[in-house]
Amino acid sequence: MRLRTTTAAAAAGLLLLTGCGAADMTEQASPFANAQGARTVTLSVQSWVGAQANVAVARYLLEHELGYRVDTVQVDEVPAWDALSQGRVDALLEDWGHPDQEQRYVVDKKTIARGGDLGVTGHIGWYVPTYFAKAHPDVTDWKNLNKYASQFRTPESGGKGQLMDGSPSYVTNDKALVENLNLDYQVVFAGSEAAQITQIRRFAQEKKPFLTYWYSPQWLFEKVPMTEVKLPAYEDGCDADPEKVACGYPRTPLQKYLNADFARTGGKAAAFLKKFRWTTEDQNMVSLLIADRKLTPEEAAKRWVDSHESTWRTWLS
Amino acid sequence: MTVLPNTPVFSVEGLWKVFGPKSERVPLDPELAALPAAELRSRTGCTAAVRDVSFDVRKGEVFVVMGLSGSGKSTLVRCLTRLIEPTAGAIAVDGEDVRAMDRTRLRELRRHRAAMVFQHFGLLPHRTVLDNVAYGLEIQGVGKAERRERAREVVTKVGLEGMEHRRPGQLSGGQRQRVGLARALAVDPEVLLFDEPFSALDPLIRRDMQEEVIRLHREEGRTMVFITHDLNEALKLGDRIALMRDGRVVQLGTPEEIVGSPADDYVREFVRDVPREQVLTVRTAMRAATHAEAGTGAAVTPDATVSEAIEAVARTGTPARVMDNGRCLGVVDSDALLGVVAGAAPGAAAGAEPRKEAV
Amino acid sequence: MATVTAPALRATLPGVLKHRAVRKLLLLALVAAVLAPLAHARWHSGTWPAALTVDLTDPLTHVSDWIIDNRDSHPLFLYFFGHISNGVVLSVRAVYLFLLAAGWAGVTALAAFVAWRTAGVRLALGTAAAFLTCGLLGMWVPTMQTLALMVVAVLASVAVGAVLGLAAGLSDRMDRALRPVLDTMQVLPAFAYLLPVVLVFGIGVPAAVLATVVYAAPPMARLTSLGLRGADKEVLEAVESLGATARQRLLTARIPLARRELLLGLNQTIMMALSMAVIASVIGGGGLGDRVYQALASVDVGAALAAGIPIVLLAVVLDRVTAAAGRGTEPAHGRPTTYALLAAAVAVAVAVRLAGRLDWPDAWTVAVAEPVNRVVDWMTDHLYSGVPVIGGTADWAGRFTTWVLDPVRDGLQGLPWWSVLLLVAALAWLIGTWRTALTAVLAMAAIGVLGVWEPSMDTLSQVLAAVAVTLVLGFATGVAAARDDRVERLLRPVLDVFQTMPQFVYLIPVVALFGVGRAPAVAAAVVYALPAVVRITTQGLRQVDPAALESARSLGATGGQQLRQVQLPLARPALLLALNQGVVLVLAVVIIGGLVGGGALGYDAVFGLAQGDLATGLVAGAAIVCLGLMLDRVTQPADRRAKKGA
């Protein structure tokens, strides 16, 4: 009897829910969006400063030139695709290449639209500080890395040399590379870019040798000059099997992506974001202001905007 | 409800309360029922708190259940209104079977006919004195204005005037118990049940509260069932006393009977230090008067205590006559009175037969 | 193995336990003697044998892909999760819009009014100051976002918790079923909750709110049940003796009597919700947490602090106001005053609204980030290394890693797996009951079966090292505070603030001081767990029966003797509780330490979230849960359960 009552209640509850009709959670904007009648654009910021620079400038122009309100949400790369598809984020300004996600959302589900090139080309590689490379020129070839393993040793890497990797969200094949190239190194994950940068600067301050996974464009090169270690050259498809990778990283033209609905109905904001395109130098300038001079992103963006009007005017037309 | 004048308020017959697994088989099995507590526990895992107890509570009397802790007296009083469900036996209130009552009827019994006063007061700390007193009426659904009005009267009656808006936490122990008493009185019950109401109080305050109960009883004549572990309190308040040990009633009688004729060694040990002359009446020491004695000497009533008789005998120097409505029942002399004080078995005492069962 | 550890353990236990402990150990040794050689012969390897693992990667990846592909079409999502998600978004939005519409002045005035009503003038002023500070720091909008999220999450947690608590409080069967679950949820690291909700709801506010609810509801449920069960039996009996119906009993007696516990539950729920709301920024929760998270990405301690301060202020204000409500010291205010002040609060809100100053004026902000960063830079520049005699912080970190963390990790990973199980069993049984021992061993075995034995041992080694440091520091400080009122008075506000700080804020300074790796993760964990350990130790020592102390003093015991022979033995339950709490808190931060190079399970969990590789993340999350369960049970005194029931 009691069981029947419970079942009936559960059924009634479900009916009540379904009575309101279907609710597609993949089409729910952020609750903080469009508050107080302002049109809001939600931008995804990834955890690295270059991405912050893109967003800071886009935000500044959207707010000051186009009258939008801009929300930013920090989301890592892959989850950002999901958030973009659900409409919780309107645009993603810097993507380093995620073919799986692109296939799923852009081609199959059509919930994300391409937004064109950012204008910056990204490259991942292994780097040593330039002061060390100058003293030991042959370190820049991967074949000689084992010779220097003992100098790159840290408490974390145990008896091997340390190859420092950054945030777990970044694209990396380093563990496989170390194995496949027979290097006497241990991959140590800093866990976040912030931690990695702090560590690099610390090493640089003491002029210690280090080997790190790093990428360009990156403002840190301005503060700590680093030289790339040549890995076996990248060829198309050489990184197809993640277990057997034995080649370096490609050069990736960074891409923008927009939520498909937003791309259609986003009006001026969507048009602006599609046209947004700048150079590595531009990005580095803003990044450096944010990360090194500790300016707020807004101030950093303002400085760039004030001095590069000809560049951004074309984005608004 | 028509109640015959001599129908007892509570009538308890063969009552059992056994705690533990499959407790209901214990009263049914004569072999188990006869086992001592420790053996019963080891054989069945059960504890018998109340064993085969029978008694009546007469209208208007103060019935005291007295025993040491663990004797089952608190369980017993809770069985009366089924706050604890009895295992076996019969309970009737005004002739109505309590164990057969359904929930509504039982609630009616608790709401209107029997109210209880608790050892640690059981007050609601978040309510004022007035609202605590009115709580029973609130439960009954009495309107706010009316129940407050009635509560105020009762508060005055128990001497808490002016404290209506305090919280229990702001009162002394004695005052709190007055609130507990007032709460029970407010519903105007037929019977008041007291569960060791004064044992948490200081001796002086306890005496005040005992006087208060005596006064209330005198004024209202309400039937009371009073649980206590304090023999003096039992003797002071009780019209009749049921003395419990290990769940059984070992003796039931008037204070005089308990003190004067202990049923067994346990009771005797229990009452040993009682000032007997203040409890026993002259009947205990009375002998038939010789013809000469019947005419002279101080007169005392049959209900006078021995100590009163001693005073009279000492004053006159002759045996005192026990006079009932002008008739001489007998005399008490100094030897007999001294014998009572000394605790010698009053072999000659008449009418002091220990009665296990009083109907 | 057990026989080797036995003497050491026995020596640390008080005399009463001795023979019982020996019996337990002998039994365990017997079982081990039979099983260990078998296990050893069958799966001869140091780490968990591959034959005994289950690879969940493929099925989990399938599930995660299926969910993403069907989220917009499957009825389960359309008709169930979709509505939940919708409800969350709508309610958060409603609260957020209300807060924005009230404007900064309105919110501040209303908050101060509520604080005044429940806790008096001083807290009201404090509340107003706290809200204004949030504005001054330029964090008004993020604060309101966090507040909106919090309001919804706390209301939902309280509703869910109260319903569960009522069920557990009124029904013994529900209590038996719920209590172990709630107890366990209480000890799990916040991070472990993120992955499952992300799996279902995706990144965003709904997931953040639901993770918060799941994390924050258990204390409410536990305390509700505790309050209902802890009610004075005699009062309930009195109520029943007056003929109350079950409903009357619940409404007029049980719930009002449980008021203190209910408000304590509310208090704890709010605090846990706040700490989770910050962590939930990792899954797109937005608000203040997101600002902290973003600031950490650019190593901007100053900016992280600017967002962290409002969190701490919110925490302190909410804590004090609900705690004051729990004490029931409501100031007796006349109704007219109340209405007048409420009207004043509304008037302020309306006035500022009419003046068109709804948003916090930009000009009124103070940039704290820069000076803070200068200080941090100076500290790291001067303390990092090369400090004469004591060496720099980096040297300490290096030595700690080489001499403590590495040996412990290598030791744990080198031990045969069955001996680790045995060790866990022995410890848990000695401190607790055979039940806790069994749970602990099963949890540990589950870690092996999940195939994450190695990283789990790594995490475990960090936890052990951090707990050891925490206990040494915590007990020493606790003893000092218990013996000297001045020390305690000095410590109290510090402890209060540290206990409410979001865990994230700790991470960057420790990186600045100790570099990257396991050492900073351990350092952050120690800093985070220390306040609770100090507090419990101090309380435990202070609550030792004064009569026992007095008698010791009357016998001429010195201060040290009193401490050793009376206070410490009598405070043993409190010290064990401190150990238990320390372990639980340390684990929570060691996991987050994955963000600063702690590696191991924390890294896997972060990796899972960051790469959308939920298989890795969920397995790591499950291992974290098991590890948390094991650590809790191993340190759980036998009498804890009994006490909770009372």
PDB file of all heavy atoms in Angstrom, chain B residues 161-187:
ATOM      1  N   GLU B 161       3.084  34.218  40.491  1.00  0.00           N
ATOM      2  CA  GLU B 161       2.590  35.484  39.966  1.00  0.00           C
ATOM      3  C   GLU B 161       3.746  36.423  39.661  1.00  0.00           C
ATOM      4  O   GLU B 161       4.703  36.514  40.437  1.00  0.00           O
ATOM      5  CB  GLU B 161       1.677  36.150  40.994  1.00  0.00           C
ATOM      6  CG  GLU B 161       0.376  36.563  40.397  1.00  0.00           C
ATOM      7  CD  GLU B 161      -0.593  36.998  41.472  1.00  0.00           C
ATOM      8  OE1 GLU B 161      -0.326  36.711  42.644  1.00  0.00           O
ATOM      9  OE2 GLU B 161      -1.603  37.616  41.120  1.00  0.00           O
ATOM     10  N   GLY B 162       3.650  37.109  38.546  1.00  0.00           N
ATOM     11  CA  GLY B 162       4.694  38.067  38.189  1.00  0.00           C
ATOM     12  C   GLY B 162       5.830  37.454  37.395  1.00  0.00           C
ATOM     13  O   GLY B 162       6.709  38.153  36.926  1.00  0.00           O
ATOM     14  N   MET B 163       5.821  36.132  37.262  1.00  0.00           N
ATOM     15  CA  MET B 163       6.907  35.514  36.500  1.00  0.00           C
ATOM     16  C   MET B 163       6.409  34.954  35.177  1.00  0.00           C
ATOM     17  O   MET B 163       7.107  34.190  34.510  1.00  0.00           O
ATOM     18  CB  MET B 163       7.518  34.370  37.304  1.00  0.00           C
ATOM     19  CG  MET B 163       8.043  34.824  38.635  1.00  0.00           C
ATOM     20  SD  MET B 163       9.056  33.590  39.371  1.00  0.00           S
ATOM     21  CE  MET B 163       9.498  34.396  40.887  1.00  0.00           C
ATOM     22  N   GLU B 164       5.214  35.354  34.782  1.00  0.00           N
ATOM     23  CA  GLU B 164       4.573  34.756  33.613  1.00  0.00           C
ATOM     24  C   GLU B 164       5.428  34.831  32.360  1.00  0.00           C
ATOM     25  O   GLU B 164       5.366  33.979  31.500  1.00  0.00           O
ATOM     26  CB  GLU B 164       3.232  35.450  33.322  1.00  0.00           C
ATOM     27  CG  GLU B 164       2.141  35.120  34.295  1.00  0.00           C
ATOM     28  CD  GLU B 164       2.064  36.107  35.445  1.00  0.00           C
ATOM     29  OE1 GLU B 164       3.070  36.826  35.637  1.00  0.00           O
ATOM     30  OE2 GLU B 164       1.028  36.168  36.129  1.00  0.00           O
ATOM     31  N   HIS B 165       6.229  35.894  32.254  1.00  0.00           N
ATOM     32  CA  HIS B 165       6.917  36.094  30.974  1.00  0.00           C
ATOM     33  C   HIS B 165       8.370  35.692  31.006  1.00  0.00           C
ATOM     34  O   HIS B 165       9.112  35.970  30.074  1.00  0.00           O
ATOM     35  CB  HIS B 165       6.734  37.538  30.517  1.00  0.00           C
ATOM     36  CG  HIS B 165       5.287  37.849  30.280  1.00  0.00           C
ATOM     37  ND1 HIS B 165       4.583  37.280  29.252  1.00  0.00           N
ATOM     38  CD2 HIS B 165       4.405  38.592  30.982  1.00  0.00           C
ATOM     39  CE1 HIS B 165       3.326  37.669  29.309  1.00  0.00           C
ATOM     40  NE2 HIS B 165       3.189  38.477  30.364  1.00  0.00           N
ATOM     41  N   ARG B 166       8.756  35.028  32.078  1.00  0.00           N
ATOM     42  CA  ARG B 166      10.133  34.516  32.082  1.00  0.00           C
ATOM     43  C   ARG B 166      10.210  33.209  31.320  1.00  0.00           C
ATOM     44  O   ARG B 166       9.207  32.555  31.092  1.00  0.00           O
ATOM     45  CB  ARG B 166      10.586  34.290  33.525  1.00  0.00           C
ATOM     46  CG  ARG B 166      10.566  35.558  34.326  1.00  0.00           C
ATOM     47  CD  ARG B 166      11.616  35.515  35.372  1.00  0.00           C
ATOM     48  NE  ARG B 166      11.465  36.657  36.260  1.00  0.00           N
ATOM     49  CZ  ARG B 166      11.972  36.701  37.471  1.00  0.00           C
ATOM     50  NH1 ARG B 166      12.641  35.666  37.936  1.00  0.00           N
ATOM     51  NH2 ARG B 166      11.824  37.774  38.211  1.00  0.00           N
ATOM     52  N   ARG B 167      11.437  32.854  30.993  1.00  0.00           N
ATOM     53  CA  ARG B 167      11.658  31.541  30.372  1.00  0.00           C
ATOM     54  C   ARG B 167      12.104  30.576  31.457  1.00  0.00           C
ATOM     55  O   ARG B 167      12.685  31.011  32.463  1.00  0.00           O
ATOM     56  CB  ARG B 167      12.769  31.633  29.326  1.00  0.00           C
ATOM     57  CG  ARG B 167      12.537  32.696  28.306  1.00  0.00           C
ATOM     58  CD  ARG B 167      12.036  32.100  27.036  1.00  0.00           C
ATOM     59  NE  ARG B 167      11.429  33.157  26.248  1.00  0.00           N
ATOM     60  CZ  ARG B 167      11.524  33.252  24.941  1.00  0.00           C
ATOM     61  NH1 ARG B 167      12.209  32.346  24.294  1.00  0.00           N
ATOM     62  NH2 ARG B 167      10.946  34.210  24.285  1.00  0.00           N
ATOM     63  N   PRO B 168      11.894  29.292  31.250  1.00  0.00           N
ATOM     64  CA  PRO B 168      12.290  28.317  32.274  1.00  0.00           C
ATOM     65  C   PRO B 168      13.752  28.486  32.687  1.00  0.00           C
ATOM     66  O   PRO B 168      14.084  28.300  33.857  1.00  0.00           O
ATOM     67  CB  PRO B 168      12.069  26.976  31.578  1.00  0.00           C
ATOM     68  CG  PRO B 168      11.000  27.242  30.595  1.00  0.00           C
ATOM     69  CD  PRO B 168      11.182  28.661  30.145  1.00  0.00           C
ATOM     70  N   GLY B 169      14.598  28.848  31.724  1.00  0.00           N
ATOM     71  CA  GLY B 169      16.013  28.993  32.044  1.00  0.00           C
ATOM     72  C   GLY B 169      16.293  30.073  33.078  1.00  0.00           C
ATOM     73  O   GLY B 169      17.356  30.088  33.689  1.00  0.00           O
ATOM     74  N   GLN B 170      15.332  30.986  33.262  1.00  0.00           N
ATOM     75  CA  GLN B 170      15.552  32.083  34.197  1.00  0.00           C
ATOM     76  C   GLN B 170      14.971  31.791  35.584  1.00  0.00           C
ATOM     77  O   GLN B 170      14.938  32.666  36.430  1.00  0.00           O
ATOM     78  CB  GLN B 170      14.913  33.365  33.644  1.00  0.00           C
ATOM     79  CG  GLN B 170      15.501  33.785  32.307  1.00  0.00           C
ATOM     80  CD  GLN B 170      14.636  34.810  31.606  1.00  0.00           C
ATOM     81  OE1 GLN B 170      13.440  34.611  31.414  1.00  0.00           O
ATOM     82  NE2 GLN B 170      15.231  35.923  31.221  1.00  0.00           N
ATOM     83  N   LEU B 171      14.489  30.559  35.773  1.00  0.00           N
ATOM     84  CA  LEU B 171      13.851  30.235  37.052  1.00  0.00           C
ATOM     85  C   LEU B 171      14.730  29.315  37.879  1.00  0.00           C
ATOM     86  O   LEU B 171      15.583  28.609  37.349  1.00  0.00           O
ATOM     87  CB  LEU B 171      12.515  29.529  36.796  1.00  0.00           C
ATOM     88  CG  LEU B 171      11.475  30.301  35.997  1.00  0.00           C
ATOM     89  CD1 LEU B 171      10.234  29.438  35.814  1.00  0.00           C
ATOM     90  CD2 LEU B 171      11.115  31.608  36.672  1.00  0.00           C
ATOM     91  N   SER B 172      14.479  29.292  39.179  1.00  0.00           N
ATOM     92  CA  SER B 172      15.161  28.334  40.043  1.00  0.00           C
ATOM     93  C   SER B 172      14.471  26.978  39.900  1.00  0.00           C
ATOM     94  O   SER B 172      13.399  26.866  39.324  1.00  0.00           O
ATOM     95  CB  SER B 172      15.094  28.801  41.484  1.00  0.00           C
ATOM     96  OG  SER B 172      13.765  28.637  41.956  1.00  0.00           O
ATOM     97  N   GLY B 173      15.124  25.937  40.452  1.00  0.00           N
ATOM     98  CA  GLY B 173      14.565  24.596  40.326  1.00  0.00           C
ATOM     99  C   GLY B 173      13.171  24.489  40.892  1.00  0.00           C
ATOM    100  O   GLY B 173      12.268  23.921  40.275  1.00  0.00           O
ATOM    101  N   GLY B 174      12.986  25.054  42.082  1.00  0.00           N
ATOM    102  CA  GLY B 174      11.671  24.979  42.708  1.00  0.00           C
ATOM    103  C   GLY B 174      10.616  25.686  41.878  1.00  0.00           C
ATOM    104  O   GLY B 174       9.512  25.169  41.693  1.00  0.00           O
ATOM    105  N   GLN B 175      11.015  26.842  41.331  1.00  0.00           N
ATOM    106  CA  GLN B 175      10.054  27.584  40.508  1.00  0.00           C
ATOM    107  C   GLN B 175       9.700  26.803  39.253  1.00  0.00           C
ATOM    108  O   GLN B 175       8.552  26.765  38.825  1.00  0.00           O
ATOM    109  CB  GLN B 175      10.640  28.944  40.139  1.00  0.00           C
ATOM    110  CG  GLN B 175      10.675  29.893  41.321  1.00  0.00           C
ATOM    111  CD  GLN B 175      11.528  31.103  41.042  1.00  0.00           C
ATOM    112  OE1 GLN B 175      12.429  31.056  40.210  1.00  0.00           O
ATOM    113  NE2 GLN B 175      11.259  32.196  41.742  1.00  0.00           N
ATOM    114  N   ARG B 176      10.719  26.148  38.694  1.00  0.00           N
ATOM    115  CA  ARG B 176      10.439  25.374  37.494  1.00  0.00           C
ATOM    116  C   ARG B 176       9.433  24.277  37.787  1.00  0.00           C
ATOM    117  O   ARG B 176       8.536  24.015  37.000  1.00  0.00           O
ATOM    118  CB  ARG B 176      11.720  24.741  36.968  1.00  0.00           C
ATOM    119  CG  ARG B 176      12.575  25.738  36.259  1.00  0.00           C
ATOM    120  CD  ARG B 176      13.729  25.032  35.608  1.00  0.00           C
ATOM    121  NE  ARG B 176      14.926  25.838  35.762  1.00  0.00           N
ATOM    122  CZ  ARG B 176      16.116  25.479  35.319  1.00  0.00           C
ATOM    123  NH1 ARG B 176      16.270  24.319  34.716  1.00  0.00           N
ATOM    124  NH2 ARG B 176      17.137  26.273  35.477  1.00  0.00           N
ATOM    125  N   GLN B 177       9.619  23.619  38.950  1.00  0.00           N
ATOM    126  CA  GLN B 177       8.707  22.532  39.227  1.00  0.00           C
ATOM    127  C   GLN B 177       7.299  23.066  39.496  1.00  0.00           C
ATOM    128  O   GLN B 177       6.313  22.404  39.223  1.00  0.00           O
ATOM    129  CB  GLN B 177       9.212  21.687  40.399  1.00  0.00           C
ATOM    130  CG  GLN B 177       8.526  20.360  40.531  1.00  0.00           C
ATOM    131  CD  GLN B 177       8.554  19.543  39.241  1.00  0.00           C
ATOM    132  OE1 GLN B 177       7.952  19.909  38.222  1.00  0.00           O
ATOM    133  NE2 GLN B 177       9.260  18.428  39.273  1.00  0.00           N
ATOM    134  N   ARG B 178       7.227  24.297  40.004  1.00  0.00           N
ATOM    135  CA  ARG B 178       5.899  24.897  40.144  1.00  0.00           C
ATOM    136  C   ARG B 178       5.264  25.075  38.773  1.00  0.00           C
ATOM    137  O   ARG B 178       4.063  24.892  38.596  1.00  0.00           O
ATOM    138  CB  ARG B 178       6.000  26.247  40.857  1.00  0.00           C
ATOM    139  CG  ARG B 178       6.149  26.096  42.359  1.00  0.00           C
ATOM    140  CD  ARG B 178       6.431  27.421  43.023  1.00  0.00           C
ATOM    141  NE  ARG B 178       6.991  27.202  44.353  1.00  0.00           N
ATOM    142  CZ  ARG B 178       6.263  27.175  45.466  1.00  0.00           C
ATOM    143  NH1 ARG B 178       4.970  27.395  45.407  1.00  0.00           N
ATOM    144  NH2 ARG B 178       6.818  26.940  46.639  1.00  0.00           N
ATOM    145  N   VAL B 179       6.088  25.440  37.786  1.00  0.00           N
ATOM    146  CA  VAL B 179       5.561  25.553  36.426  1.00  0.00           C
ATOM    147  C   VAL B 179       5.073  24.196  35.946  1.00  0.00           C
ATOM    148  O   VAL B 179       3.988  24.068  35.368  1.00  0.00           O
ATOM    149  CB  VAL B 179       6.632  26.106  35.456  1.00  0.00           C
ATOM    150  CG1 VAL B 179       6.071  26.188  34.044  1.00  0.00           C
ATOM    151  CG2 VAL B 179       7.107  27.473  35.904  1.00  0.00           C
ATOM    152  N   GLY B 180       5.879  23.160  36.225  1.00  0.00           N
ATOM    153  CA  GLY B 180       5.482  21.817  35.824  1.00  0.00           C
ATOM    154  C   GLY B 180       4.156  21.421  36.464  1.00  0.00           C
ATOM    155  O   GLY B 180       3.275  20.855  35.808  1.00  0.00           O
ATOM    156  N   LEU B 181       4.024  21.762  37.726  1.00  0.00           N
ATOM    157  CA  LEU B 181       2.795  21.463  38.450  1.00  0.00           C
ATOM    158  C   LEU B 181       1.624  22.247  37.865  1.00  0.00           C
ATOM    159  O   LEU B 181       0.535  21.705  37.633  1.00  0.00           O
ATOM    160  CB  LEU B 181       3.004  21.837  39.930  1.00  0.00           C
ATOM    161  CG  LEU B 181       1.907  21.519  40.910  1.00  0.00           C
ATOM    162  CD1 LEU B 181       1.605  20.028  40.890  1.00  0.00           C
ATOM    163  CD2 LEU B 181       2.324  21.938  42.323  1.00  0.00           C
ATOM    164  N   ALA B 182       1.899  23.522  37.580  1.00  0.00           N
ATOM    165  CA  ALA B 182       0.841  24.364  37.036  1.00  0.00           C
ATOM    166  C   ALA B 182       0.381  23.851  35.679  1.00  0.00           C
ATOM    167  O   ALA B 182      -0.808  23.856  35.362  1.00  0.00           O
ATOM    168  CB  ALA B 182       1.344  25.808  36.905  1.00  0.00           C
ATOM    169  N   ARG B 183       1.346  23.375  34.877  1.00  0.00           N
ATOM    170  CA  ARG B 183       0.984  22.873  33.562  1.00  0.00           C
ATOM    171  C   ARG B 183       0.038  21.682  33.695  1.00  0.00           C
ATOM    172  O   ARG B 183      -0.921  21.551  32.947  1.00  0.00           O
ATOM    173  CB  ARG B 183       2.244  22.463  32.809  1.00  0.00           C
ATOM    174  CG  ARG B 183       1.952  21.884  31.449  1.00  0.00           C
ATOM    175  CD  ARG B 183       3.195  21.572  30.696  1.00  0.00           C
ATOM    176  NE  ARG B 183       3.982  20.543  31.377  1.00  0.00           N
ATOM    177  CZ  ARG B 183       5.191  20.171  30.986  1.00  0.00           C
ATOM    178  NH1 ARG B 183       5.763  20.783  29.964  1.00  0.00           N
ATOM    179  NH2 ARG B 183       5.843  19.244  31.632  1.00  0.00           N
ATOM    180  N   ALA B 184       0.351  20.828  34.696  1.00  0.00           N
ATOM    181  CA  ALA B 184      -0.510  19.665  34.889  1.00  0.00           C
ATOM    182  C   ALA B 184      -1.879  20.087  35.411  1.00  0.00           C
ATOM    183  O   ALA B 184      -2.909  19.562  34.984  1.00  0.00           O
ATOM    184  CB  ALA B 184       0.154  18.694  35.866  1.00  0.00           C
ATOM    185  N   LEU B 185      -1.888  21.073  36.314  1.00  0.00           N
ATOM    186  CA  LEU B 185      -3.159  21.516  36.887  1.00  0.00           C
ATOM    187  C   LEU B 185      -4.022  22.234  35.870  1.00  0.00           C
ATOM    188  O   LEU B 185      -5.245  22.187  35.941  1.00  0.00           O
ATOM    189  CB  LEU B 185      -2.899  22.449  38.082  1.00  0.00           C
ATOM    190  CG  LEU B 185      -2.409  21.775  39.358  1.00  0.00           C
ATOM    191  CD1 LEU B 185      -2.027  22.830  40.374  1.00  0.00           C
ATOM    192  CD2 LEU B 185      -3.498  20.864  39.919  1.00  0.00           C
ATOM    193  N   ALA B 186      -3.373  22.905  34.911  1.00  0.00           N
ATOM    194  CA  ALA B 186      -4.117  23.762  33.996  1.00  0.00           C
ATOM    195  C   ALA B 186      -5.144  22.990  33.195  1.00  0.00           C
ATOM    196  O   ALA B 186      -6.178  23.528  32.825  1.00  0.00           O
ATOM    197  CB  ALA B 186      -3.141  24.482  33.051  1.00  0.00           C
ATOM    198  N   VAL B 187      -4.859  21.719  32.917  1.00  0.00           N
ATOM    199  CA  VAL B 187      -5.818  20.960  32.119  1.00  0.00           C
ATOM    200  C   VAL B 187      -6.916  20.358  33.006  1.00  0.00           C
ATOM    201  O   VAL B 187      -7.765  19.626  32.515  1.00  0.00           O
ATOM    202  CB  VAL B 187      -5.120  19.840  31.320  1.00  0.00           C
ATOM    203  CG1 VAL B 187      -4.119  20.448  30.357  1.00  0.00           C
ATOM    204  CG2 VAL B 187      -4.419  18.857  32.253  1.00  0.00           C
TER     205      VAL B 187
END
